[in-house]
Amino acid sequence: MIKIAVMGYGTIGSGVVQVIETNQDSICRKIGEGIEVKYILDLRDFEGDPIQSRVVHDYEIIAKDPEIAIVVESMGGVEPAYTFVKAMLEAGKSVTTSNKALVAAHGADLIAAAKEKNVNFMFEASVGGGIPIIRALNSCLTADRIEEISGIVNGTTNYILSKMADEGCGFEEVLKEAQEKGFAEKDPTADVEGHDAGRKIAILTSLIAGRQVDFEDVYTEGISSITATDILYAKQMDRVIKLLATSRQTGDTYTVMVAPFLLPKEHPLYTVNGVFNAVFVRGNMLGDAMFYGSGAGSLPTASAVVADVVELAKHIGKHIELEWRPEKLEISDYKKQTTRFFVRTSADSAQIERIFGSVRYIQVPEVSDETGFVTSEMTEEEFEKKAAELGAVLQMIRFH
């Protein structure tokens, strides 16, 4: 019988216990023996709940119990999660987590700590909820050199942009509705300003590069400035606005950023709507592939966590190598990348053409007091200089 502990009995932690209890027979067959949740670490007591007898308040009880082989961390945040997880690894217990903040900040360190004790640190659910993207990168795609990852990795922002596109609503109106439905946090800043997606693309880039990518270095824009007028222009161009987390190989490093992009209908991510997530991967041998599924929620995320538990149970006493060294990777300056830009401005066509040269104008019948246009391909740096000279820029969204 393999005994595990769950640290944090919130949305994900309770989902993990539910998945294990609901799919007990199937999980045990895959492991080859039984599995039992012995401890649940939480500040609360859960009077009257069936799990009450398993609740403990001191993480050292778990760390010191030789029966515990695997620990699930689902508390969230960097501290005290980091302290608790490090203690579990040093006590010879494997750990799985859904905590992207923890993984982005300390992934390399925790992988090294696990290796030292011949145990494992896994984090499938930290990116994309129930989508098995990390396992794919670490096993199925190891023969490839990954040239690009582009993902819709935040369900909140994708729900908001999808709703705005479908109904023509404004950002604030849809955000309020998303909060009422539980799709957005009371404080949505981390989601709508792109910080959550930034942590996730930092994790994925660290894995494909094999070195630490600090999420603070990832250039990040959110969706709070996207308006109903932008949606009208996107439709006129047969495109859709999506918040993408992107990482592209640039020489011996990667260009990494999070920002809204205008996607054409032929792009695989064009049809990913609502709270769903998807990650597009381009390998030098594989070509293009896409991983799609529920990006958030108790049970989809818990399913990915329990998949890690099964993997950890199959590898007790054996460390699974992960290529993520603590040496920092200096990512490429995003301003050197080239693309086309959609621009809305109050400037006239003479000014536009004097500064940007030949452009493609986009006319929307409902909009009459401004001009929309698409630039030729240029670097971010060139665009910034031209936009500063033009002044009067109401909006800019990149083409993909």
Side-chain angles (χ1 to χ4, degrees), residues 189-218:
T189 306
D191 293 322
V192 301
E193 298 304 338
H195 306 312
D196 174 81
R199 285 183 169 88
K200 291 171 179 175
I201 197 64
I203 291 169
L204 294 177
T205 308
S206 296
L207 285 169
I208 62 175
R211 291 163 63 188
Q212 174 70 24
V213 174
D214 291 342
F215 70 89
E216 296 93 343
D217 294 341
V218 176

Side-chain angles (χ1 to χ4, degrees), residues 223-240:
I223 66 164
S224 57
S225 67
I226 301 296
T227 67
T229 302
D230 296 323
I231 300 296
L232 291 173
Y233 276 103
K235 289 182 176 178
Q236 188 68 27
M237 293 183 281
D238 274 339
R239 288 179 177 254
V240 67

Side-chain angles (χ1 to χ4, degrees), residues 298-363:
S298 174
L299 296 181
T301 304
S303 174
V305 173
V306 177
D308 274 354
V309 170
V310 171
E311 191 75 4
L312 294 172
K314 289 178 177 178
H315 290 86
I316 288 176
K318 181 182 178 182
H319 178 71
I320 303 167
E321 286 294 333
L322 289 179
E323 181 70 7
W324 181 350
R325 302 185 304 279
E327 294 84 20
K328 181 176 176 179
L329 178 72
E330 294 294 338
I331 59 177
S332 178
D333 183 357
Y334 81 97
K335 291 186 179 182
K336 305 299 182 186
Q337 290 295 295
T338 60
T339 189
R340 290 184 293 157
F341 300 84
F342 165 68
V343 182
R344 289 170 46 212
T345 179
S346 56
D348 60 32
S349 58
Q351 289 175 287
I352 294 167
E353 290 168 23
R354 177 177 61 81
I355 296 167
F356 283 93
S358 178
V359 299
R360 178 163 67 95
Y361 290 105
I362 309 298
Q363 294 183 323

